[in-house]
Amino acid sequence: QVPLVESGGGLVQPGGSLRLSCAASRSIFSIFAMGWYRQVAGKQRELVATISTGGNTNYADSVKGRFTISRDYAKNTVYLQMNSLKPEDTAVYYCNRDPPRMSWGQGTQVTVSS
């Protein structure tokens, strides 16, 4: 199974922005809804945002108005634009199908701290 490859994480101050990217195989990307998930050590992984093949989006209440999920069919990539970041957004972020059906990638660490 071709892995999902997340990138774009890093250390950012509160109020800052990051854009995460997730590259997937064309066979996966083109026919399935995709989602971004996040996990804090010791806690369950949670759904952050989803996007259907038609572009319909849904967000967790905690990120509504701050995060935007999008997908680029030409690049087989799904993005998560994160603005107005808060310390509580600190987590490892993963992408997967919605609902998740693939093996999890390594994720990308996002740390929001001053």
Side-chain angles (χ1 to χ4, degrees):
Q1 194 175 49
V2 177
L4 298 161
V5 182
E6 301 95 346
S7 63
L11 172 64
V12 64
Q13 292 187 341
S17 299
L18 284 173
R19 188 176 81 154
L20 307 183
S21 300
C22 172
S25 68
R26 183 176 182 180
S27 61
I28 296 296
F29 186 84
S30 63
I31 60 175
F32 293 113
M34 298 294 294
W36 280 98
Y37 306 78
R38 66 186 181 187
Q39 186 171 27
V40 176
K43 295 187 177 181
Q44 281 192 326
R45 200 175 336 241
E46 65 173 352
L47 178 64
V48 175
T50 64
I51 185 166
S52 70
T53 53
N56 294 319
T57 58
N58 284 289
Y59 299 91
D61 287 344
S62 59
V63 306
K64 279 180 182 176
R66 300 188 298 120
F67 291 10
T68 302
I69 188 171
S70 61
R71 61 196 299 168
D72 185 331
Y73 283 94
K75 297 181 179 179
N76 297 326
T77 300
V78 59
Y79 300 99
L80 186 68
Q81 177 67 43
M82 305 187 296
N83 298 327
S84 302
L85 282 160
K86 304 176 180 180
E88 52 263 44
D89 295 318
T90 295
V92 180
Y93 284 72
Y94 303 86
C95 68
N96 208 311
R97 286 170 50 185
D98 171 45
R101 291 287 184 268
M102 299 178 64
S103 298
W104 294 97
Q106 293 195 345
T108 185
Q109 175 71 48
V110 172
T111 303
V112 185
S113 175
S114 55

